[in-house]
Amino acid sequence: MILNTELEYKGNLFPSKIVFYKKHINVLYFKSENGAVLQLTIERDSVLRFRYSTTGMFDKDFSYAITIHASKGYNHLEISEDDEKYVITTSKLICHISKLDMRKSIFDVKDNSLICEDELGFHWEESYEIGGDIVKMSLKSQQGENYYGLGDKPVENNLKGKRFQNWVTDSYAYGRGTDPIYKAIPFYTAIHHDKSYGVFFDNTFRSYFDFCNERRNITSFWAQGGEMNYYFIYGPEMTEVVSNYTDLTGRPQHIPPMWALGFHQCKWSYYPESNVKEITSKFRELQIPCDAIYLDIDYMEGFRCFTWSEEYFPDPKRMVKELADDGFKTIVIIDPGIKIDNEYNVFKEGLEKDYFCKRADGPYMKGKVWPGECYFPDFTSPEVREWWSELFKELIEDIGVAGVWNDMNEPAVMDVPGKSFPDDVRHDYDGNPCSHRKAHNIYGMQMARATYHGLKKFSYPKRPFVITRAAYSGTQRYTSTWTGDNVATWDHLSIANQQAQRMCMSGFSFAGSDIGGFAEQPSGELFARWIQLGVFHPFCRVHSSGDHGEQEPWVFGKTVTDIVRKFIEIRYQLLPYLYTTFWRYADEGIPILKSLVLFDQEDPNTHFRNDEFIFGEKILVCPIIEANSKGRRMYIPRGKWYNFWDNSIVEGGEEVWVDADIDSLPIFVKEGAIIPKYPIQQYVGEKVIEQLELDVYYKLGKESSEVYEDAGDGYDYKKGRYSLRNFNQVGKENSLTIQQFKSGKFITSYNSFKINIHGLPFKIAKIEVDNEEIDISKINGVVTFEVTKEFRELYIIGK
Ligand code: MIG
C-alpha cells in the first residue's frame, strides 16, 4: 500500500561521458554513456543550436517561432578533438564540449575570450507530477554580466537578480513585477566585458528563467516538458544579437501601411454609430490628427464574431465608408471564443467541420467568455487557420474594415482559476498532435497568424493591419501588439516605457501601451505625460476600459488638449523618420526603440538605465514619469546632442538636469543627424507632400542618415518602387557638405527639400548646390533654404 502523498523528488540527472560522436554536414551528434544526446547545429558562424535528448530520441523538429526564411550557412567550420574535449570552430566562435560530461564553453574566435560557459549545463529531472522530464540548463554568470529582453515583463530593463516564468496569461490590471503576463518570448540578451550574446530557448511549454536569483552567479532556464532546445546567438554588438534573433524568428513580412503609424483612438466601447461619429468629428473639429478608430466588442450581435449589432450599427458599410471619407480607418475586435448557438453560422460551420478544440477525453472544450459559453477554433491546425482567414472576406473586402484587433487569445477563459484552457485540451499543432501544455503559449500567435492571412488576402492590394494581445516569439512576423490591461497610474507610465523598450529589444518592435491607462482614470497631467511618451512608441493608441469616464484628448481641459495636439503633431511631422526606422526594422531587425544599452553597450552606465531611450537612430527621449515635474535628471549617452526645443548642445556621458514643464519633454537630437519631416496632416494622405523638410544638425565630423519612402501602402515597394536617400554629412570648421545618394524607383510627390541647418558654427559666405550658388534666408538662427530633391552635393562655405 502506498501511503506517501508527497511526490518523490528524484533529483537531477546528468549526461555522463561522451562515447559516440558523428557529424552530418553542419549537425554534430554527441552521445553519452547513459544515453543522452546533444545535437549541435551550426546555423551560422555566430548562431549555434543546442538540442538535447534524454532518451536518445528527438521529437519531430518543428517550431512555430523559426521562420523558413532564416539565413543558414557559415564561412568556416572545423572540428577537432583532444583527450578532454571536442573543439568546434567557426569564423566567429569556438565551442568546447567536454568529453567527460558534455559541458560546453563558448569563446570569441577573435581574442579567445570566454563568452558563455555551462555550470551544470544540460540536466533534467524526471517528474512524476508531469509524467516526464523537466529539462534544464544552467550557465555560469560572468563577472559584471547583465541580462535584458524576455518580451513584456513589467520590470526594469536589467533582469539580473530576478526570476521569470513564460506562460501567456490574461492579466487585467497587472502591476510592476506581475509575472507572467500576456506574452511568452523566451529570448534574452546578455552582456559582459563589452560583448553581448543572446539565448533563445525555443520551447513552448511553461518555462522559467532565473538570472542569478536562486544562486548568485548562475543563470538557468528550464521547461516543464519538451526538449532542451536553444539557440546561442553571438554579437558581439547587442543590436546584432537582436537582429540575428529576428533573422531566426522573423521580421514583419511587410512594412505597415503608413496610416498605422499615425495616432489611433480606442475605447471599450464606442457605440452606437452616432457615438463613433461624435468622436471622429471632434478630432477633426479640434484639429487633432488621428488615423484610426476602434470598435470594441459591443459592435457585434451578442459578441458573436463576424456579426454586427443591427441596433447600434445598422449599416456598417456606409459608416465605414463615411469614416474613411473623413480620413479614419475602422478597426474591429475579433476574439477567439465562438458562441455556442445553433443559429449562428460561424459556430455551425466550425462544428460541422470539426474545427473546435476538444478535451482529451472527447468533448469540445467549453469555456465562458464575453458571448457566454463558447467553443474555440484550434488555430494550430492549418485547415482551421485557412477557414478562419476566409471568414474575414465580408468584413474587409465588402464592409471595408482596415484592421483587426485580436484580443483574449491567451486564450482567456472566465471564471476558472487558471484563466485559460485546462492542460488536457488537444491541439493539432500542425500535424504534431499535443496537449494544451505545449500549445498554450502559441495559441494566440496562431490566431493572429490566421487573422493576418485573412486580412492580407482581402485587403489586397493594400497592406493589412493586425494587432494581438497574446504572443510567442515570431509573432512579430504577422502583427503589432499592445501591452494589455494596464492602469492609469504614474507607475504604469513608467512600466509602459519599460515594456515598449523591452519588446523592441526582444525582436518585436511594433508595440505600444494603452495610452492613459486601461483601468481607472488618469489625471489630465498623467494623460499629457503619457501622450508625450506614447507618440514615441512604434504603436500609438489611446485606449481605456470606459467605466471610469472618458479618455479622449479633449476631456481634460484646454491646456491638456493643446499639449496632446502639439505632441501628436510632432509624431505626424516625424512620420518619414519613423517610417524609415520601421523599414530598417523590417529589413534588418534593428529595434525601433533602443534602450541605452543597445545604443552604447561599451558605456557601463547604460547597463543600468531605464527611462531614457533612442527613438530610431538619432532621437533621444526621456519621459517625465512623476507628477508636478518641471523637468528631471536624466543620463545623456556619450556624444553631443542638440536639445530639440532650443538647439542648445549638451555633451553626453553624464547625468544632467533637463527642464521639461508640462508642455515639454526631454528630447535631444544626435549631432550630425538629418531628420526628415512632413507637414502636419490630420491623417496620413490628407495632403500631397509638396516639400520634404530636412532638419540638419551640424557636426564637426561625419554622420550619415537615411530617408526611406514609398507609396505608404501596397506592395510596389517590394518591386523596387521605393525611394531611399542616403545623406552623408561632413562638417568642418569652416564648411559643411551634404552628399545625397538615391536609390529605388519610387518618385516622391515633392520636388524640393526645405533645409534647416541647426547649429552652424560659422557665418555663411555662400551655398553651392551641385556647383551652382543659391539664395539663403535665416530664421531664428536656423539657416533655411530650398533645394531640388535631385541634388547630389550641397556645399556650404563659411566666411
Ligand atoms: O475582458 O474587449 O485587453 O483592451 O477593451 C476584457 C474588451 C476584454 C480586454 C482587452 C481590452 C478590451 C477588453 N478586453
Side-chain angles (χ1 to χ4, degrees):
M1 195 169 53
I2 301 168
L3 289 174
N4 186 2
T5 53
E6 300 248 314
L7 287 164
E8 185 185 341
Y9 177 70
K10 295 181 58 165
N12 288 328
L13 298 166
F14 300 85
S16 57
K17 72 171 194 235
I18 296 177
V19 291
F20 175 78
Y21 157 71
K22 120 182 145 188
K23 169 177 183 279
H24 181 68
I25 313 175
N26 63 331
V27 185
L28 318 180
Y29 299 87
F30 303 91
K31 191 167 186 170
S32 70
E33 202 170 38
N34 62 347
V37 175
L38 160 60
Q39 178 193 305
L40 165 54
T41 309
I42 290 75
E43 302 281 342
R44 300 172 61 183
D45 288 299
S46 53
V47 181
L48 306 178
R49 178 183 180 194
F50 296 96
R51 203 178 164 203
Y52 296 85
S53 158
T54 58
T55 59
M57 293 195 318
F58 287 98
D59 295 343
K60 190 172 124 201
D61 196 11
F62 175 80
S63 165
Y64 282 117
I66 306 292
T67 161
I68 50 165
H69 305 294
S71 3
K72 299 246 165 182
Y74 41 84
N75 295 311
H76 179 79
L77 176 59
E78 194 184 304
I79 294 133
S80 61
E81 61 180 290
D82 59 27
D83 291 349
E84 283 147 29
K85 60 185 180 297
Y86 294 92
V87 179
I88 297 115
T89 309
T90 73
S91 72
K92 293 269 170 68
L93 297 169
I94 303 172
C95 175
H96 291 176
I97 295 172
S98 155
K99 289 187 169 173
L100 184 69
D101 53 16
M102 235 183 227
R103 283 193 291 173
K104 57 198 193 302
S105 12
I106 302 172
F107 306 83
D108 184 329
V109 90
K110 268 202 197 132
D111 56 5
N112 272 310
S113 59
L114 177 67
I115 308 298
C116 184
E117 70 186 312
D118 284 358
E119 184 237 357
L120 301 175
F122 173 59
H123 54 294
W124 68 98
E125 186 187 319
E126 291 176 350
S127 159
Y128 291 136
E129 194 181 349
I130 63 168
D133 294 337
I134 297 174
V135 292
K136 308 180 184 180
M137 174 60 60
S138 76
L139 307 169
K140 284 186 193 157
S141 182
Q142 304 300 319
Q143 197 207 345
E145 186 159 359
N146 287 300
Y147 305 91
Y148 308 87
L150 282 198
D152 64 349
K153 305 299 181 198
V155 298
E156 294 68 32
N157 278 348
N158 193 327
L159 302 175
K160 191 167 192 172
K162 297 191 167 78
R163 173 184 281 206
F164 301 96
Q165 193 184 141
N166 293 303
W167 187 255
V168 172
T169 306
D170 178 6
S171 309
Y172 174 79
Y174 62 94
R176 186 177 287 280
T178 304
D179 185 55
I181 58 171
Y182 302 92
K183 293 166 183 81
I185 304 195
F187 163 66
Y188 71 83
T189 63
I191 182 168
H192 63 87
H193 301 95
D194 290 350
K195 296 192 170 108
S196 177
Y197 68 91
V199 165
F200 170 43
F201 182 23
D202 189 10
N203 178 314
T204 61
F205 286 79
R206 194 187 289 267
S207 66
Y208 298 83
F209 284 80
D210 185 299
F211 301 100
C212 311
N213 172 280
E214 184 181 315
R215 284 181 296 152
R216 202 164 61 85
N217 290 321
I218 306 302
T219 280
S220 58
F221 48 95
W222 63 99
Q224 291 185 347
E227 290 177 352
M228 176 46 63
N229 169 33
Y230 79 96
Y231 295 79
F232 173 87
I233 305 167
Y234 190 45
E237 294 295 319
M238 202 183 278
T239 41
E240 294 175 282
V241 177
V242 178
S243 159
N244 282 338
Y245 163 78
T246 58
D247 182 75
L248 274 178
T249 60
R251 297 162 186 167
Q253 295 189 348
H254 54 77
I255 313 170
M258 194 184 266
W259 64 261
L261 299 179
F263 175 74
H264 300 207
Q265 179 71 34
C266 187
K267 179 184 143 168
W268 180 15
S269 287
Y270 291 131
Y271 71 93
E273 176 179 338
S274 57
N275 179 232
V276 177
K277 293 270 185 59
E278 239 171 76
I279 300 295
T280 54
S281 313
K282 195 85 178 172
F283 271 99
R284 297 299 179 242
E285 180 195 322
L286 294 173
Q287 293 281 289
I288 299 171
C290 183
D291 261 282
I293 185 87
Y294 284 62
L295 302 181
D296 205 327
I297 50 177
D298 301 283
Y299 81 91
M300 296 179 264
E301 190 62 58
F303 307 120
R304 288 170 190 81
C305 293
F306 307 101
T307 68
W308 291 77
S309 151
E310 274 180 36
E311 189 191 342
Y312 300 142
F313 296 95
D315 188 355
K317 188 170 175 172
R318 179 193 37 75
M319 178 190 75
V320 168
K321 162 107 185 20
E322 286 165 6
L323 289 171
D325 290 343
D326 200 14
F328 284 93
K329 303 288 188 287
T330 305
I331 298 174
V332 301
I333 198 166
I334 291 283
D335 290 353
I338 300 298
K339 188 178 178 69
I340 300 178
D341 171 1
N342 286 314
E343 308 287 288
Y344 167 41
N345 270 336
V346 179
F347 174 75
K348 281 196 302 192
E349 217 179 287
L351 202 64
E352 262 163 38
K353 299 189 164 152
D354 201 15
Y355 286 162
F356 296 120
C357 294
K358 287 185 190 139
R359 303 292 302 268
D361 46 6
Y364 287 109
M365 160 61 215
K366 185 161 82 181
K368 201 188 133 202
V369 252
W370 290 105
E373 288 183 348
C374 286
Y375 291 164
F376 301 82
D378 183 11
F379 296 106
T380 73
S381 147
E383 201 183 322
V384 175
R385 287 198 300 272
E386 179 58 30
W387 168 69
W388 184 259
S389 73
E390 288 293 325
L391 294 174
F392 289 94
K393 189 170 174 27
E394 192 192 353
L395 208 51
I396 307 298
E397 209 176 70
D398 184 41
I399 299 179
V401 163
V404 169
W405 172 21
N406 281 165
D407 184 24
M408 304 290 276
N409 53 347
E410 290 71 27
V413 177
M414 293 168 174
D415 299 335
V416 292
K419 298 195 245 181
S420 192
F421 292 0
D423 282 350
D424 72 280
V425 169
R426 302 295 299 168
H427 294 275
D428 177 64
Y429 215 91
D430 280 64
N432 306 278
C434 69
S435 78
H436 196 64
R437 293 177 59 239
K438 181 171 175 178
H440 176 81
N441 279 338
I442 54 83
Y443 183 86
M445 172 196 194
Q446 294 311 303
M447 178 192 186
R449 174 187 181 184
T451 302
Y452 166 77
H453 283 297
L455 264 79
K456 195 170 173 194
K457 231 180 308 191
F458 300 117
S459 308
Y460 190 84
K462 303 238 181 269
R463 301 175 197 161
F465 173 75
V466 178
I467 175 163
T468 178
R469 193 169 70 175
Y472 181 72
S473 294
T475 310
Q476 71 271 8
R477 303 201 288 272
Y478 315 115
T479 89
S480 62
T481 189
W482 87 107
T483 57
D485 297 343
N486 58 4
V487 188
T489 64
W490 286 95
D491 197 34
H492 262 278
L493 170 56
S494 146
I495 291 172
N497 178 22
Q498 238 61 79
Q499 287 182 299
Q501 289 182 46
R502 186 182 302 295
M503 287 300 291
C504 288
M505 167 92 81
S506 308
F508 200 152
S509 277
F510 202 2
S513 67
D514 282 353
I515 295 175
F518 178 73
E520 312 288 329
Q521 202 192 20
S523 65
E525 185 192 5
L526 175 57
F527 185 75
R529 291 304 196 185
W530 208 317
I531 282 277
Q532 291 172 353
L533 171 66
V535 298
F536 292 103
H537 284 169
F539 176 67
C540 178
R541 179 184 77 165
V542 167
H543 182 40
S544 70
S545 70
D547 32 71
H548 298 91
E550 311 298 308
Q551 205 156 300
E552 291 78 37
W554 49 84
V555 302
F556 305 96
K558 182 162 186 319
T559 317
V560 172
T561 309
D562 290 344
I563 294 168
V564 169
R565 180 190 302 105
K566 171 174 160 181
F567 277 84
I568 296 179
E569 285 179 354
I570 291 176
R571 183 175 177 97
Y572 275 75
Q573 288 180 293
L574 288 175
L575 273 175
Y577 175 83
L578 175 57
Y579 199 64
T580 301
T581 306
F582 209 110
W583 162 75
R584 287 211 65 191
Y585 162 59
D587 204 48
E588 296 169 54
I590 308 291
I592 294 180
L593 306 182
K594 292 169 198 70
S595 304
L596 294 194
V597 65
L598 269 177
F599 180 72
D600 184 5
Q601 68 185 41
E602 277 162 32
D603 171 5
N605 285 298
T606 66
H607 301 192
F608 304 94
R609 300 305 306 190
N610 289 306
D611 298 352
E612 309 83 355
F613 63 90
I614 311 288
F615 171 67
E617 306 287 319
K618 317 272 182 191
I619 299 179
L620 167 67
V621 176
C622 186
I624 299 288
I625 51 175
E626 281 175 43
N628 302 314
S629 300
K630 300 273 178 225
R632 61 166 294 161
R633 287 189 69 78
M634 65 177 279
Y635 184 72
I636 311 279
R638 298 187 297 182
K640 274 191 187 148
W641 300 81
Y642 285 79
N643 188 315
F644 176 79
W645 306 104
D646 64 9
N647 283 330
S648 60
I649 292 177
V650 304
E651 181 79 50
E654 59 181 11
E655 261 202 23
V656 297
W657 169 267
V658 181
D659 287 332
D661 212 338
I662 183 70
D663 61 346
S664 185
L665 177 80
I667 306 173
F668 295 85
V669 182
K670 196 176 171 205
E671 66 163 353
I674 296 184
I675 310 283
K677 280 184 179 164
Y678 282 165
I680 294 162
Q681 305 179 76
Q682 295 311 302
Y683 55 91
V684 169
E686 185 204 19
K687 294 180 182 160
V688 175
I689 309 299
E690 279 166 354
Q691 192 167 52
L692 183 72
E693 242 180 280
L694 296 175
D695 273 322
V696 176
Y697 292 86
Y698 170 88
K699 173 186 183 177
L700 182 62
K702 289 183 194 162
E703 185 81 20
S704 63
S705 305
E706 291 172 312
V707 181
Y708 173 88
E709 291 166 289
D710 60 23
D713 208 333
Y715 299 93
D716 275 1
Y717 78 97
K718 298 221 174 190
K719 296 182 217 134
R721 250 161 258 136
Y722 61 85
S723 151
L724 178 62
R725 303 174 190 282
N726 251 292
F727 295 105
N728 285 332
Q729 176 177 178
V730 181
K732 296 195 174 146
E733 250 128 49
N734 202 35
S735 72
L736 170 64
T737 313
I738 300 169
Q739 288 178 321
Q740 177 182 202
F741 301 92
K742 164 134 198 308
S743 57
K745 289 185 286 192
F746 180 70
I747 298 173
T748 53
S749 53
Y750 54 84
N751 289 313
S752 62
F753 299 130
K754 181 178 171 202
I755 295 195
N756 310 312
I757 311 243
H758 303 258
L760 207 61
F762 53 82
K763 289 220 162 57
I764 299 177
K766 61 173 177 176
I767 297 183
E768 289 176 1
V769 176
D770 295 331
N771 298 320
E772 302 254 341
E773 205 174 324
I774 59 157
D775 280 347
I776 51 167
S777 60
K778 208 168 188 184
I779 310 167
N780 300 330
V782 178
V783 178
T784 299
F785 54 93
E786 267 184 39
V787 299
T788 161
K789 69 171 177 181
E790 311 290 351
F791 89 81
R792 281 182 298 175
E793 186 173 277
L794 182 70
Y795 187 37
I796 305 176
I797 308 141
K799 284 188 177 145

